[in-house]
PDB file of all heavy atoms in Angstrom:
ATOM      1  N   LEU I   1       0.797  -1.172   0.009  1.00  0.00           N
ATOM      2  CA  LEU I   1      -0.031  -0.054   0.028  1.00  0.00           C
ATOM      3  C   LEU I   1       0.860   1.186  -0.012  1.00  0.00           C
ATOM      4  O   LEU I   1       2.080   1.114   0.517  1.00  0.00           O
ATOM      5  CB  LEU I   1      -0.895   0.089   1.231  1.00  0.00           C
ATOM      6  CG  LEU I   1      -2.185  -0.792   1.284  1.00  0.00           C
ATOM      7  CD1 LEU I   1      -2.884  -0.628   2.632  1.00  0.00           C
ATOM      8  CD2 LEU I   1      -3.170  -0.349   0.137  1.00  0.00           C
ATOM      9  N   ARG I   2       0.413   2.311  -0.539  1.00  0.00           N
ATOM     10  CA  ARG I   2       1.099   3.577  -0.480  1.00  0.00           C
ATOM     11  C   ARG I   2       0.093   4.653   0.172  1.00  0.00           C
ATOM     12  O   ARG I   2      -0.905   4.957  -0.364  1.00  0.00           O
ATOM     13  CB  ARG I   2       1.558   4.200  -1.888  1.00  0.00           C
ATOM     14  CG  ARG I   2       2.438   5.334  -1.647  1.00  0.00           C
ATOM     15  CD  ARG I   2       2.948   5.788  -3.019  1.00  0.00           C
ATOM     16  NE  ARG I   2       1.987   6.639  -3.760  1.00  0.00           N
ATOM     17  CZ  ARG I   2       2.345   7.528  -4.664  1.00  0.00           C
ATOM     18  NH1 ARG I   2       3.556   7.796  -4.963  1.00  0.00           N
ATOM     19  NH2 ARG I   2       1.359   8.208  -5.206  1.00  0.00           N
ATOM     20  N   LEU I   3       0.616   5.120   1.322  1.00  0.00           N
ATOM     21  CA  LEU I   3      -0.113   6.078   1.979  1.00  0.00           C
ATOM     22  C   LEU I   3       0.365   7.529   1.596  1.00  0.00           C
ATOM     23  O   LEU I   3       1.500   7.619   1.277  1.00  0.00           O
ATOM     24  CB  LEU I   3       0.009   5.947   3.509  1.00  0.00           C
ATOM     25  CG  LEU I   3      -0.339   4.572   4.086  1.00  0.00           C
ATOM     26  CD1 LEU I   3      -0.218   4.732   5.614  1.00  0.00           C
ATOM     27  CD2 LEU I   3      -1.761   4.223   3.742  1.00  0.00           C
ATOM     28  N   SER I   4      -0.556   8.477   1.579  1.00  0.00           N
ATOM     29  CA  SER I   4      -0.193   9.859   1.249  1.00  0.00           C
ATOM     30  C   SER I   4      -0.607  10.700   2.318  1.00  0.00           C
ATOM     31  O   SER I   4      -1.697  10.482   3.119  1.00  0.00           O
ATOM     32  CB  SER I   4      -1.029  10.241  -0.076  1.00  0.00           C
ATOM     33  OG  SER I   4      -0.652   9.597  -1.093  1.00  0.00           O
ATOM     34  N   CYS I   5       0.110  11.707   2.580  1.00  0.00           N
ATOM     35  CA  CYS I   5      -0.140  12.820   3.583  1.00  0.00           C
ATOM     36  C   CYS I   5       0.123  14.205   2.952  1.00  0.00           C
ATOM     37  O   CYS I   5       1.204  14.497   2.500  1.00  0.00           O
ATOM     38  CB  CYS I   5       0.838  12.580   4.708  1.00  0.00           C
ATOM     39  SG  CYS I   5       0.836  14.060   5.892  1.00  0.00           S
ATOM     40  N   THR I   6      -0.975  14.978   2.886  1.00  0.00           N
ATOM     41  CA  THR I   6      -0.960  16.207   2.222  1.00  0.00           C
ATOM     42  C   THR I   6      -1.219  17.398   3.218  1.00  0.00           C
ATOM     43  O   THR I   6      -2.235  17.358   3.917  1.00  0.00           O
ATOM     44  CB  THR I   6      -1.899  16.309   1.074  1.00  0.00           C
ATOM     45  OG1 THR I   6      -1.640  15.334   0.126  1.00  0.00           O
ATOM     46  CG2 THR I   6      -1.718  17.706   0.374  1.00  0.00           C
ATOM     47  N   ALA I   7      -0.352  18.364   3.286  1.00  0.00           N
ATOM     48  CA  ALA I   7      -0.403  19.512   4.118  1.00  0.00           C
ATOM     49  C   ALA I   7      -0.908  20.634   3.220  1.00  0.00           C
ATOM     50  O   ALA I   7      -0.410  20.880   2.185  1.00  0.00           O
ATOM     51  CB  ALA I   7       0.880  19.774   4.774  1.00  0.00           C
ATOM     52  N   SER I   8      -1.882  21.456   3.816  1.00  0.00           N
ATOM     53  CA  SER I   8      -2.197  22.617   3.062  1.00  0.00           C
ATOM     54  C   SER I   8      -2.625  23.723   4.101  1.00  0.00           C
ATOM     55  O   SER I   8      -2.654  23.515   5.247  1.00  0.00           O
ATOM     56  CB  SER I   8      -3.496  22.331   2.220  1.00  0.00           C
ATOM     57  OG  SER I   8      -4.590  21.888   3.001  1.00  0.00           O
ATOM     58  N   GLY I   9      -2.736  24.920   3.558  1.00  0.00           N
ATOM     59  CA  GLY I   9      -3.054  26.029   4.474  1.00  0.00           C
ATOM     60  C   GLY I   9      -1.825  27.009   4.563  1.00  0.00           C
ATOM     61  O   GLY I   9      -1.151  27.257   3.567  1.00  0.00           O
ATOM     62  N   SER I  10      -1.731  27.563   5.750  1.00  0.00           N
ATOM     63  CA  SER I  10      -0.698  28.552   5.992  1.00  0.00           C
ATOM     64  C   SER I  10       0.705  27.876   6.155  1.00  0.00           C
ATOM     65  O   SER I  10       1.208  27.686   7.338  1.00  0.00           O
ATOM     66  CB  SER I  10      -1.068  29.367   7.217  1.00  0.00           C
ATOM     67  OG  SER I  10      -2.328  29.950   7.106  1.00  0.00           O
ATOM     68  N   ILE I  11       1.336  27.550   5.028  1.00  0.00           N
ATOM     69  CA  ILE I  11       2.549  26.908   4.997  1.00  0.00           C
ATOM     70  C   ILE I  11       3.603  27.874   4.531  1.00  0.00           C
ATOM     71  O   ILE I  11       3.545  28.193   3.349  1.00  0.00           O
ATOM     72  CB  ILE I  11       2.551  25.585   4.230  1.00  0.00           C
ATOM     73  CG1 ILE I  11       1.540  24.619   4.811  1.00  0.00           C
ATOM     74  CG2 ILE I  11       3.863  24.975   4.204  1.00  0.00           C
ATOM     75  CD1 ILE I  11       1.298  23.285   4.001  1.00  0.00           C
ATOM     76  N   PHE I  12       4.644  28.186   5.350  1.00  0.00           N
ATOM     77  CA  PHE I  12       5.514  29.122   5.021  1.00  0.00           C
ATOM     78  C   PHE I  12       7.046  28.554   4.860  1.00  0.00           C
ATOM     79  O   PHE I  12       7.998  29.250   4.470  1.00  0.00           O
ATOM     80  CB  PHE I  12       5.588  30.365   5.905  1.00  0.00           C
ATOM     81  CG  PHE I  12       4.284  31.079   5.932  1.00  0.00           C
ATOM     82  CD1 PHE I  12       3.447  30.868   7.042  1.00  0.00           C
ATOM     83  CD2 PHE I  12       3.665  31.783   4.947  1.00  0.00           C
ATOM     84  CE1 PHE I  12       2.103  31.388   7.199  1.00  0.00           C
ATOM     85  CE2 PHE I  12       2.429  32.249   4.965  1.00  0.00           C
ATOM     86  CZ  PHE I  12       1.649  32.014   6.055  1.00  0.00           C
ATOM     87  N   SER I  13       7.093  27.338   5.247  1.00  0.00           N
ATOM     88  CA  SER I  13       8.399  26.689   5.216  1.00  0.00           C
ATOM     89  C   SER I  13       8.189  25.129   5.092  1.00  0.00           C
ATOM     90  O   SER I  13       6.987  24.614   5.316  1.00  0.00           O
ATOM     91  CB  SER I  13       9.123  26.969   6.485  1.00  0.00           C
ATOM     92  OG  SER I  13       8.519  26.361   7.736  1.00  0.00           O
ATOM     93  N   THR I  14       9.154  24.440   4.687  1.00  0.00           N
ATOM     94  CA  THR I  14       9.032  23.025   4.501  1.00  0.00           C
ATOM     95  C   THR I  14       9.080  22.193   5.757  1.00  0.00           C
ATOM     96  O   THR I  14       9.963  22.397   6.527  1.00  0.00           O
ATOM     97  CB  THR I  14      10.118  22.475   3.606  1.00  0.00           C
ATOM     98  OG1 THR I  14      10.178  23.253   2.339  1.00  0.00           O
ATOM     99  CG2 THR I  14      10.024  21.075   3.272  1.00  0.00           C
ATOM    100  N   PRO I  15       7.956  21.607   6.153  1.00  0.00           N
ATOM    101  CA  PRO I  15       7.960  20.904   7.245  1.00  0.00           C
ATOM    102  C   PRO I  15       8.541  19.446   7.309  1.00  0.00           C
ATOM    103  O   PRO I  15       8.845  18.880   6.162  1.00  0.00           O
ATOM    104  CB  PRO I  15       6.406  20.554   7.514  1.00  0.00           C
ATOM    105  CG  PRO I  15       5.905  20.460   6.158  1.00  0.00           C
ATOM    106  CD  PRO I  15       6.750  21.284   5.371  1.00  0.00           C
ATOM    107  N   ALA I  16       9.112  18.974   8.574  1.00  0.00           N
ATOM    108  CA  ALA I  16       9.402  17.590   8.544  1.00  0.00           C
ATOM    109  C   ALA I  16       8.115  16.865   8.664  1.00  0.00           C
ATOM    110  O   ALA I  16       7.126  17.441   9.263  1.00  0.00           O
ATOM    111  CB  ALA I  16      10.283  17.357   9.789  1.00  0.00           C
ATOM    112  N   MET I  17       7.982  15.718   8.031  1.00  0.00           N
ATOM    113  CA  MET I  17       6.698  14.983   8.015  1.00  0.00           C
ATOM    114  C   MET I  17       6.984  13.569   8.408  1.00  0.00           C
ATOM    115  O   MET I  17       8.087  13.024   8.001  1.00  0.00           O
ATOM    116  CB  MET I  17       6.261  15.045   6.567  1.00  0.00           C
ATOM    117  CG  MET I  17       5.877  16.503   5.983  1.00  0.00           C
ATOM    118  SD  MET I  17       5.262  16.528   4.391  1.00  0.00           S
ATOM    119  CE  MET I  17       3.536  16.084   4.604  1.00  0.00           C
ATOM    120  N   SER I  18       6.079  13.189   9.455  1.00  0.00           N
ATOM    121  CA  SER I  18       6.422  11.888   9.941  1.00  0.00           C
ATOM    122  C   SER I  18       5.095  10.980   9.883  1.00  0.00           C
ATOM    123  O   SER I  18       4.101  11.480   9.929  1.00  0.00           O
ATOM    124  CB  SER I  18       6.797  12.006  11.511  1.00  0.00           C
ATOM    125  OG  SER I  18       8.034  12.713  11.595  1.00  0.00           O
ATOM    126  N   TRP I  19       5.326   9.698   9.949  1.00  0.00           N
ATOM    127  CA  TRP I  19       4.239   8.815   9.998  1.00  0.00           C
ATOM    128  C   TRP I  19       4.394   8.076  11.344  1.00  0.00           C
ATOM    129  O   TRP I  19       5.429   7.650  11.846  1.00  0.00           O
ATOM    130  CB  TRP I  19       4.311   7.701   8.939  1.00  0.00           C
ATOM    131  CG  TRP I  19       3.857   8.276   7.634  1.00  0.00           C
ATOM    132  CD1 TRP I  19       4.619   8.679   6.488  1.00  0.00           C
ATOM    133  CD2 TRP I  19       2.391   8.430   7.030  1.00  0.00           C
ATOM    134  NE1 TRP I  19       3.842   9.168   5.530  1.00  0.00           N
ATOM    135  CE2 TRP I  19       2.665   9.046   5.776  1.00  0.00           C
ATOM    136  CE3 TRP I  19       1.192   8.111   7.629  1.00  0.00           C
ATOM    137  CZ2 TRP I  19       1.424   9.233   4.989  1.00  0.00           C
ATOM    138  CZ3 TRP I  19       0.069   8.384   6.878  1.00  0.00           C
ATOM    139  CH2 TRP I  19       0.186   8.962   5.606  1.00  0.00           C
ATOM    140  N   TYR I  20       3.133   7.882  12.053  1.00  0.00           N
ATOM    141  CA  TYR I  20       3.051   7.101  13.302  1.00  0.00           C
ATOM    142  C   TYR I  20       1.870   6.141  13.096  1.00  0.00           C
ATOM    143  O   TYR I  20       1.086   6.188  12.115  1.00  0.00           O
ATOM    144  CB  TYR I  20       2.623   8.084  14.337  1.00  0.00           C
ATOM    145  CG  TYR I  20       3.823   9.000  14.856  1.00  0.00           C
ATOM    146  CD1 TYR I  20       4.055  10.119  14.096  1.00  0.00           C
ATOM    147  CD2 TYR I  20       4.411   8.767  15.979  1.00  0.00           C
ATOM    148  CE1 TYR I  20       5.038  10.964  14.557  1.00  0.00           C
ATOM    149  CE2 TYR I  20       5.452   9.632  16.397  1.00  0.00           C
ATOM    150  CZ  TYR I  20       5.716  10.664  15.710  1.00  0.00           C
ATOM    151  OH  TYR I  20       6.706  11.591  16.073  1.00  0.00           O
ATOM    152  N   ARG I  21       1.846   5.124  13.754  1.00  0.00           N
ATOM    153  CA  ARG I  21       0.744   4.207  13.782  1.00  0.00           C
ATOM    154  C   ARG I  21       0.310   3.766  15.224  1.00  0.00           C
ATOM    155  O   ARG I  21       1.078   3.785  16.128  1.00  0.00           O
ATOM    156  CB  ARG I  21       1.146   2.905  13.017  1.00  0.00           C
ATOM    157  CG  ARG I  21       2.227   2.009  13.482  1.00  0.00           C
ATOM    158  CD  ARG I  21       2.616   0.941  12.537  1.00  0.00           C
ATOM    159  NE  ARG I  21       3.528  -0.094  13.039  1.00  0.00           N
ATOM    160  CZ  ARG I  21       3.981  -1.050  12.359  1.00  0.00           C
ATOM    161  NH1 ARG I  21       3.647  -1.179  11.117  1.00  0.00           N
ATOM    162  NH2 ARG I  21       4.971  -1.848  12.963  1.00  0.00           N
ATOM    163  N   GLN I  22      -0.897   3.395  15.325  1.00  0.00           N
ATOM    164  CA  GLN I  22      -1.443   3.106  16.670  1.00  0.00           C
ATOM    165  C   GLN I  22      -2.540   1.962  16.435  1.00  0.00           C
ATOM    166  O   GLN I  22      -3.384   2.025  15.543  1.00  0.00           O
ATOM    167  CB  GLN I  22      -2.156   4.390  17.242  1.00  0.00           C
ATOM    168  CG  GLN I  22      -2.538   4.197  18.657  1.00  0.00           C
ATOM    169  CD  GLN I  22      -3.079   5.474  19.233  1.00  0.00           C
ATOM    170  OE1 GLN I  22      -3.519   6.441  18.483  1.00  0.00           O
ATOM    171  NE2 GLN I  22      -3.059   5.634  20.524  1.00  0.00           N
ATOM    172  N   THR I  23      -2.494   1.089  17.356  1.00  0.00           N
ATOM    173  CA  THR I  23      -3.426   0.013  17.568  1.00  0.00           C
ATOM    174  C   THR I  23      -4.327   0.295  18.767  1.00  0.00           C
ATOM    175  O   THR I  23      -3.875   0.905  19.703  1.00  0.00           O
ATOM    176  CB  THR I  23      -2.773  -1.364  17.589  1.00  0.00           C
ATOM    177  OG1 THR I  23      -1.854  -1.359  18.564  1.00  0.00           O
ATOM    178  CG2 THR I  23      -2.140  -1.672  16.146  1.00  0.00           C
ATOM    179  N   PRO I  24      -5.475  -0.281  18.807  1.00  0.00           N
ATOM    180  CA  PRO I  24      -6.389  -0.145  19.976  1.00  0.00           C
ATOM    181  C   PRO I  24      -5.685  -0.525  21.298  1.00  0.00           C
ATOM    182  O   PRO I  24      -5.180  -1.544  21.381  1.00  0.00           O
ATOM    183  CB  PRO I  24      -7.616  -0.928  19.651  1.00  0.00           C
ATOM    184  CG  PRO I  24      -7.567  -1.063  18.137  1.00  0.00           C
ATOM    185  CD  PRO I  24      -6.155  -1.047  17.675  1.00  0.00           C
ATOM    186  N   GLY I  25      -5.825   0.438  22.253  1.00  0.00           N
ATOM    187  CA  GLY I  25      -5.230   0.274  23.453  1.00  0.00           C
ATOM    188  C   GLY I  25      -3.782   0.423  23.636  1.00  0.00           C
ATOM    189  O   GLY I  25      -3.242   0.223  24.758  1.00  0.00           O
ATOM    190  N   ASN I  26      -3.160   0.870  22.633  1.00  0.00           N
ATOM    191  CA  ASN I  26      -1.689   0.995  22.673  1.00  0.00           C
ATOM    192  C   ASN I  26      -1.399   2.484  22.247  1.00  0.00           C
ATOM    193  O   ASN I  26      -2.109   3.296  21.721  1.00  0.00           O
ATOM    194  CB  ASN I  26      -1.009   0.106  21.734  1.00  0.00           C
ATOM    195  CG  ASN I  26      -1.113  -1.300  22.067  1.00  0.00           C
ATOM    196  OD1 ASN I  26      -0.644  -1.683  23.261  1.00  0.00           O
ATOM    197  ND2 ASN I  26      -1.742  -2.124  21.135  1.00  0.00           N
ATOM    198  N   ARG I  27      -0.270   2.844  22.714  1.00  0.00           N
ATOM    199  CA  ARG I  27       0.223   4.336  22.342  1.00  0.00           C
ATOM    200  C   ARG I  27       0.639   4.264  20.931  1.00  0.00           C
ATOM    201  O   ARG I  27       0.907   3.385  20.210  1.00  0.00           O
ATOM    202  CB  ARG I  27       1.397   4.662  23.274  1.00  0.00           C
ATOM    203  CG  ARG I  27       2.612   3.847  23.049  1.00  0.00           C
ATOM    204  CD  ARG I  27       3.740   4.330  24.079  1.00  0.00           C
ATOM    205  NE  ARG I  27       4.979   3.473  23.848  1.00  0.00           N
ATOM    206  CZ  ARG I  27       5.827   3.760  22.930  1.00  0.00           C
ATOM    207  NH1 ARG I  27       5.736   4.845  22.160  1.00  0.00           N
ATOM    208  NH2 ARG I  27       6.885   2.965  22.832  1.00  0.00           N
ATOM    209  N   ARG I  28       0.633   5.577  20.443  1.00  0.00           N
ATOM    210  CA  ARG I  28       1.050   5.838  19.145  1.00  0.00           C
ATOM    211  C   ARG I  28       2.573   5.627  18.916  1.00  0.00           C
ATOM    212  O   ARG I  28       3.351   5.975  19.855  1.00  0.00           O
ATOM    213  CB  ARG I  28       0.837   7.342  18.715  1.00  0.00           C
ATOM    214  CG  ARG I  28       0.951   7.719  17.382  1.00  0.00           C
ATOM    215  CD  ARG I  28       0.516   9.217  17.134  1.00  0.00           C
ATOM    216  NE  ARG I  28      -0.798   9.428  17.158  1.00  0.00           N
ATOM    217  CZ  ARG I  28      -1.380  10.603  17.285  1.00  0.00           C
ATOM    218  NH1 ARG I  28      -0.702  11.626  17.635  1.00  0.00           N
ATOM    219  NH2 ARG I  28      -2.806  10.761  17.344  1.00  0.00           N
ATOM    220  N   VAL I  29       2.895   4.954  17.878  1.00  0.00           N
ATOM    221  CA  VAL I  29       4.370   4.484  17.693  1.00  0.00           C
ATOM    222  C   VAL I  29       4.994   5.191  16.397  1.00  0.00           C
ATOM    223  O   VAL I  29       4.329   5.181  15.380  1.00  0.00           O
ATOM    224  CB  VAL I  29       4.548   2.929  17.590  1.00  0.00           C
ATOM    225  CG1 VAL I  29       5.950   2.580  17.313  1.00  0.00           C
ATOM    226  CG2 VAL I  29       3.998   2.323  18.828  1.00  0.00           C
ATOM    227  N   TRP I  30       6.120   5.703  16.495  1.00  0.00           N
ATOM    228  CA  TRP I  30       6.784   6.361  15.318  1.00  0.00           C
ATOM    229  C   TRP I  30       7.167   5.243  14.234  1.00  0.00           C
ATOM    230  O   TRP I  30       7.680   4.249  14.597  1.00  0.00           O
ATOM    231  CB  TRP I  30       7.976   7.083  15.834  1.00  0.00           C
ATOM    232  CG  TRP I  30       8.734   7.636  14.683  1.00  0.00           C
ATOM    233  CD1 TRP I  30       8.558   8.685  13.929  1.00  0.00           C
ATOM    234  CD2 TRP I  30      10.087   7.094  14.270  1.00  0.00           C
ATOM    235  NE1 TRP I  30       9.591   8.989  12.874  1.00  0.00           N
ATOM    236  CE2 TRP I  30      10.539   7.869  13.095  1.00  0.00           C
ATOM    237  CE3 TRP I  30      10.799   6.019  14.599  1.00  0.00           C
ATOM    238  CZ2 TRP I  30      11.579   7.593  12.554  1.00  0.00           C
ATOM    239  CZ3 TRP I  30      11.908   5.821  13.985  1.00  0.00           C
ATOM    240  CH2 TRP I  30      12.424   6.621  12.897  1.00  0.00           C
ATOM    241  N   VAL I  31       6.872   5.624  12.976  1.00  0.00           N
ATOM    242  CA  VAL I  31       7.236   4.706  11.919  1.00  0.00           C
ATOM    243  C   VAL I  31       8.435   5.288  11.126  1.00  0.00           C
ATOM    244  O   VAL I  31       9.234   4.558  10.742  1.00  0.00           O
ATOM    245  CB  VAL I  31       5.934   4.424  11.023  1.00  0.00           C
ATOM    246  CG1 VAL I  31       6.352   3.618   9.901  1.00  0.00           C
ATOM    247  CG2 VAL I  31       4.905   3.782  11.951  1.00  0.00           C
ATOM    248  N   ALA I  32       8.247   6.521  10.576  1.00  0.00           N
ATOM    249  CA  ALA I  32       9.117   7.156   9.632  1.00  0.00           C
ATOM    250  C   ALA I  32       9.166   8.634   9.628  1.00  0.00           C
ATOM    251  O   ALA I  32       8.020   9.244   9.930  1.00  0.00           O
ATOM    252  CB  ALA I  32       8.914   6.571   8.263  1.00  0.00           C
ATOM    253  N   THR I  33      10.209   9.261   9.205  1.00  0.00           N
ATOM    254  CA  THR I  33      10.252  10.706   9.172  1.00  0.00           C
ATOM    255  C   THR I  33      11.200  11.160   7.974  1.00  0.00           C
ATOM    256  O   THR I  33      12.148  10.422   7.594  1.00  0.00           O
ATOM    257  CB  THR I  33      10.895  11.342  10.468  1.00  0.00           C
ATOM    258  OG1 THR I  33      10.100  11.094  11.529  1.00  0.00           O
ATOM    259  CG2 THR I  33      11.128  12.914  10.281  1.00  0.00           C
ATOM    260  N   ILE I  34      10.595  12.092   7.242  1.00  0.00           N
ATOM    261  CA  ILE I  34      11.465  12.754   6.255  1.00  0.00           C
ATOM    262  C   ILE I  34      11.575  14.248   6.839  1.00  0.00           C
ATOM    263  O   ILE I  34      10.610  14.997   7.107  1.00  0.00           O
ATOM    264  CB  ILE I  34      10.931  12.651   4.879  1.00  0.00           C
ATOM    265  CG1 ILE I  34      11.777  13.245   3.859  1.00  0.00           C
ATOM    266  CG2 ILE I  34       9.457  13.241   4.773  1.00  0.00           C
ATOM    267  CD1 ILE I  34      11.516  12.860   2.375  1.00  0.00           C
ATOM    268  N   SER I  35      12.912  14.768   6.900  1.00  0.00           N
ATOM    269  CA  SER I  35      13.208  16.032   7.387  1.00  0.00           C
ATOM    270  C   SER I  35      12.787  17.072   6.355  1.00  0.00           C
ATOM    271  O   SER I  35      12.601  16.783   5.089  1.00  0.00           O
ATOM    272  CB  SER I  35      14.512  16.088   7.814  1.00  0.00           C
ATOM    273  OG  SER I  35      15.438  16.174   6.630  1.00  0.00           O
ATOM    274  N   SER I  36      12.822  18.358   6.657  1.00  0.00           N
ATOM    275  CA  SER I  36      12.727  19.453   5.789  1.00  0.00           C
ATOM    276  C   SER I  36      13.727  19.326   4.642  1.00  0.00           C
ATOM    277  O   SER I  36      13.432  19.842   3.573  1.00  0.00           O
ATOM    278  CB  SER I  36      12.749  20.727   6.492  1.00  0.00           C
ATOM    279  OG  SER I  36      14.002  20.921   7.092  1.00  0.00           O
ATOM    280  N   GLY I  37      14.865  18.871   4.916  1.00  0.00           N
ATOM    281  CA  GLY I  37      15.828  18.742   3.914  1.00  0.00           C
ATOM    282  C   GLY I  37      15.930  17.436   3.181  1.00  0.00           C
ATOM    283  O   GLY I  37      16.621  17.250   2.204  1.00  0.00           O
ATOM    284  N   GLY I  38      15.040  16.589   3.428  1.00  0.00           N
ATOM    285  CA  GLY I  38      14.958  15.311   2.663  1.00  0.00           C
ATOM    286  C   GLY I  38      15.540  14.173   3.340  1.00  0.00           C
ATOM    287  O   GLY I  38      15.479  13.012   2.710  1.00  0.00           O
ATOM    288  N   THR I  39      16.150  14.300   4.544  1.00  0.00           N
ATOM    289  CA  THR I  39      16.787  13.248   5.144  1.00  0.00           C
ATOM    290  C   THR I  39      15.674  12.216   5.642  1.00  0.00           C
ATOM    291  O   THR I  39      14.709  12.713   6.250  1.00  0.00           O
ATOM    292  CB  THR I  39      17.659  13.599   6.330  1.00  0.00           C
ATOM    293  OG1 THR I  39      18.712  14.432   5.820  1.00  0.00           O
ATOM    294  CG2 THR I  39      18.310  12.414   6.960  1.00  0.00           C
ATOM    295  N   THR I  40      15.808  10.924   5.447  1.00  0.00           N
ATOM    296  CA  THR I  40      14.778  10.033   5.816  1.00  0.00           C
ATOM    297  C   THR I  40      15.320   9.215   7.020  1.00  0.00           C
ATOM    298  O   THR I  40      16.511   8.752   7.091  1.00  0.00           O
ATOM    299  CB  THR I  40      14.272   9.105   4.832  1.00  0.00           C
ATOM    300  OG1 THR I  40      15.393   8.376   4.122  1.00  0.00           O
ATOM    301  CG2 THR I  40      13.763   9.960   3.550  1.00  0.00           C
ATOM    302  N   SER I  41      14.350   8.784   7.924  1.00  0.00           N
ATOM    303  CA  SER I  41      14.746   7.650   8.917  1.00  0.00           C
ATOM    304  C   SER I  41      13.481   6.858   8.984  1.00  0.00           C
ATOM    305  O   SER I  41      12.332   7.261   9.071  1.00  0.00           O
ATOM    306  CB  SER I  41      15.042   8.423  10.215  1.00  0.00           C
ATOM    307  OG  SER I  41      14.119   9.319  10.660  1.00  0.00           O
ATOM    308  N   VAL I  42      13.699   5.572   9.280  1.00  0.00           N
ATOM    309  CA  VAL I  42      12.613   4.606   9.333  1.00  0.00           C
ATOM    310  C   VAL I  42      12.782   3.757  10.576  1.00  0.00           C
ATOM    311  O   VAL I  42      14.061   3.340  10.857  1.00  0.00           O
ATOM    312  CB  VAL I  42      12.594   3.730   8.075  1.00  0.00           C
ATOM    313  CG1 VAL I  42      11.490   2.680   8.195  1.00  0.00           C
ATOM    314  CG2 VAL I  42      12.432   4.561   6.949  1.00  0.00           C
ATOM    315  N   ALA I  43      11.743   3.380  11.251  1.00  0.00           N
ATOM    316  CA  ALA I  43      11.821   2.532  12.448  1.00  0.00           C
ATOM    317  C   ALA I  43      12.437   1.190  12.193  1.00  0.00           C
ATOM    318  O   ALA I  43      12.073   0.589  10.980  1.00  0.00           O
ATOM    319  CB  ALA I  43      10.441   2.434  13.147  1.00  0.00           C
ATOM    320  N   ALA I  44      13.111   0.614  13.039  1.00  0.00           N
ATOM    321  CA  ALA I  44      13.900  -0.712  12.771  1.00  0.00           C
ATOM    322  C   ALA I  44      12.744  -1.823  12.523  1.00  0.00           C
ATOM    323  O   ALA I  44      13.113  -2.662  11.694  1.00  0.00           O
ATOM    324  CB  ALA I  44      14.647  -1.082  14.015  1.00  0.00           C
TER     325      ALA I  44
END
């Protein structure tokens, strides 16, 4: 699957964008990030 995340509105700089996931009864867990400069990191 490919998920998309689109930001709109009052955007004046490039944001870092991250994905998290959560299952019922559990806390939200970080999955991946792409920095404003394009550096990526992904959970092990």
